[in-house]
Amino acid sequence: MTYFIMIPLLLAGFVFGRLYKCVCKLLIMLLVLPQVLKAQKITAPIVLINEQLPVIPKEFYVANVVDDRDDQRAVAWLLPVSAAGAIPASPYTTDLKGGTLAALKQFVNFALPPNRSLRPVVIHIRKLRIEESVLPGGSVEGKLKISLSFYLQKEDQQIHLIDYTGSAGYNRPAGQMIDVEPVLRHALQYGLTYFNTWINREADTNIKLAKGARIIFTDYTEQPEGDTIYYSAKRPLRWDDFRAKPMGGKYEAEVFPSIGYTEEVEVVKGIVNVKLAVKAYVPKSACWVKPDSRNDYSLNHEQRHFDIVKIIAERFKQKLRAEKLTVDNYDGPINVQYLESFHEMNVMQDQYDDETRHGTNTFTQQQWNEKIDKELASFK
């Protein structure tokens, strides 16, 4: 930088000398002042510029920001300006104006204006830090590290969704500072944009983001038929299904039917579809009959044991249809109702055998036949 100064030649020497000293001081101030101003600007709290992102969230709003950093003293550890070849002094710290947490909350609310009809999300700041260090040759390297965790707020609990980790860097001459605010701002914007993209992609299929749950029932079947018979009105019991060795005692025949279910879960358009295939079944290898008891009346008695299991299976479905399932606990009501239905099945089977005296009371047997047929017909 060159300065041209015109001084009249008629001035006395001592006047020239005093002017010369003043001009030298002025030149020194003009050369040093820009660096001083820059240093003062950086050492002051960093003013984070609020900008609205060019995206409008459709699936969430930020309900809160939590500062979980290990070191919450500042966001930047910077080296002061130093002359070429000089050893830089120790780094100094600077924070966001108004405090990191308050500044970040304001920044996030401005970047993504909250729509409280959407899902509430809480952002945990795990790391947000810029550090400068001296490189070989005397230049300065700055590194930013950022780590954000996103949680879904559900009443009094937070459900972890996803983490974002990013980094950025820059180099500068040792004698020239840079404004680190854009580095911080862009890193935060990238993190928010990343989460918005993720939740838009996951909203329809991620079970953590599901808005409701429902049960879809089917009856379990098996093709081809093996040892197990799964209940079907078109597939009644036959004597050749009784494959176990006859047992001693006063009974003529015996079957051991039971209930169960298989479960598959799929999220479709934000709804958890719980697909239950309900089983009313009897294993052939557990059924037995004495050789001289193979008649239609006895077979009907054993078939009614199987019919009772089908009735319990349908009651199990009815009870679950009346349940209001939640995304957080849809398996709980299913398990409870299954255990209750299993107990109900055993009680009804014992009642049937006690009242019909294992089929020997023909009048009561006919009453049970009619009762069972009536309830089976009601399910259709």
Side-chain angles (χ1 to χ4, degrees):
M1 181 180 296
T2 304
Y3 292 86
F4 296 92
I5 302 174
M6 299 181 63
I7 302 175
L9 296 177
L10 298 177
L11 289 177
F14 73 95
V15 175
F16 177 83
R18 294 186 64 181
L19 285 173
Y20 177 79
K21 291 180 180 180
C22 290
V23 169
C24 288
K25 289 181 180 180
L26 178 61
L27 287 173
I28 292 172
M29 290 181 64
L30 289 172
L31 291 172
V32 174
L33 187 57
Q35 302 298 337
V36 173
L37 288 174
K38 287 183 179 180
Q40 289 175 345
K41 179 180 179 182
I42 298 300
T43 56
I46 301 169
V47 180
L48 197 58
I49 298 175
N50 295 323
E51 292 181 343
Q52 186 169 342
L53 292 182
V55 295
I56 299 177
K58 298 178 181 179
E59 299 293 341
F60 78 101
Y61 75 93
V62 179
N64 196 14
V65 179
V66 180
D67 190 353
D68 288 335
R69 293 174 301 154
D70 294 334
D71 190 343
Q72 299 182 6
R73 292 176 297 168
V75 297
W77 277 251
L78 306 176
L79 294 174
V81 171
S82 60
I87 300 176
S90 300
Y92 61 90
T93 61
T94 183
D95 205 358
L96 298 179
K97 186 176 181 180
T100 296
L101 185 57
L104 291 178
K105 286 183 176 181
Q106 183 178 357
F107 176 85
V108 171
N109 284 336
F110 200 94
L112 301 173
N115 178 354
R116 301 189 184 279
S117 66
L118 304 176
R119 299 178 181 86
V121 167
V122 178
I123 302 176
H124 288 253
I125 310 294
R126 306 296 188 191
K127 183 175 291 185
L128 184 63
R129 183 182 180 108
I130 293 179
E131 283 190 84
E132 290 188 339
S133 60
V134 180
L135 293 173
S139 62
V140 173
E141 178 185 49
K143 289 184 177 180
L144 175 140
K145 292 183 178 180
I146 181 173
S147 180
L148 309 175
S149 293
F150 296 87
Y151 288 77
L152 181 65
Q153 181 72 56
K154 281 197 172 182
E155 297 178 356
D156 57 347
Q157 65 173 331
Q158 294 184 13
I159 301 173
H160 179 256
L161 296 177
I162 196 170
D163 297 323
Y164 169 79
T165 301
S167 61
Y170 61 85
N171 292 339
R172 66 171 178 85
Q176 179 181 353
M177 297 295 291
I178 71 166
D179 187 358
V180 298
E181 186 277 338
V183 182
L184 285 165
R185 172 162 38 92
H186 292 154
L188 290 167
Q189 289 173 338
Y190 293 151
L192 296 175
T193 303
Y194 170 84
F195 178 71
N196 182 69
T197 302
W198 177 86
I199 199 171
N200 286 341
R201 184 181 67 245
E202 296 288 322
D204 284 347
T205 57
N206 192 311
I207 195 168
K208 294 180 179 179
L209 301 171
K211 299 177 180 178
R214 66 175 181 175
I215 296 180
I216 300 174
F217 291 105
T218 58
D219 288 323
Y220 189 89
T221 58
E222 182 181 64
Q223 295 294 336
E225 181 180 291
D227 177 67
T228 302
I229 305 168
Y230 295 97
Y231 190 94
S232 170
K234 299 178 180 180
R235 172 53 172 99
L237 293 177
R238 301 184 295 260
W239 281 126
D240 59 2
D241 296 326
F242 291 66
R243 298 181 178 179
K245 182 179 179 181
M247 300 180 65
K250 58 183 179 180
Y251 304 135
E252 302 300 319
E254 198 165 13
V255 294
F256 294 92
S258 189
I259 60 171
Y261 66 90
T262 61
E263 177 181 322
E264 293 182 8
V265 177
E266 182 182 18
V267 183
V268 179
K269 295 184 178 179
I271 301 297
V272 179
N273 290 331
V274 185
K275 300 179 180 179
L276 289 187
V278 180
K279 302 178 179 181
Y281 65 94
V282 61
K284 300 174 185 177
S285 55
C287 301
W288 61 267
V289 61
K290 292 179 179 179
D292 57 351
S293 299
R294 293 174 178 262
N295 56 71
D296 291 343
Y297 181 85
S298 295
L299 184 60
N300 173 75
H301 177 81
E302 303 306 326
Q303 176 65 49
R304 296 307 180 174
H305 277 295
F306 202 6
D307 292 342
I308 286 172
V309 175
K310 174 61 175 176
I311 288 172
I312 298 301
E314 293 300 326
R315 290 180 183 178
F316 171 59
K317 295 179 188 177
Q318 288 180 332
K319 292 175 183 177
L320 287 179
R321 289 189 182 101
E323 290 279 356
K324 293 184 178 179
L325 301 183
T326 65
V327 174
D328 300 327
N329 184 27
Y330 54 83
D331 267 334
I334 294 174
N335 293 332
V336 170
Q337 292 297 349
Y338 173 73
L339 292 175
E340 290 183 357
S341 295
F342 196 88
H343 174 71
E344 182 184 7
M345 175 189 68
N346 291 329
V347 170
M348 192 172 180
Q349 295 282 26
D350 289 341
Q351 182 186 3
Y352 169 63
D353 265 341
D354 289 343
E355 292 182 4
T356 64
R357 287 185 295 178
H358 295 271
T360 60
N361 186 328
T362 58
F363 177 77
T364 308
Q365 179 67 56
Q366 182 59 33
Q367 288 181 321
W368 270 93
N369 292 344
E370 294 172 0
K371 175 183 175 180
I372 290 171
D373 287 339
K374 182 178 180 180
E375 187 162 1
L376 287 175
S378 70
F379 298 128
K380 296 179 181 179

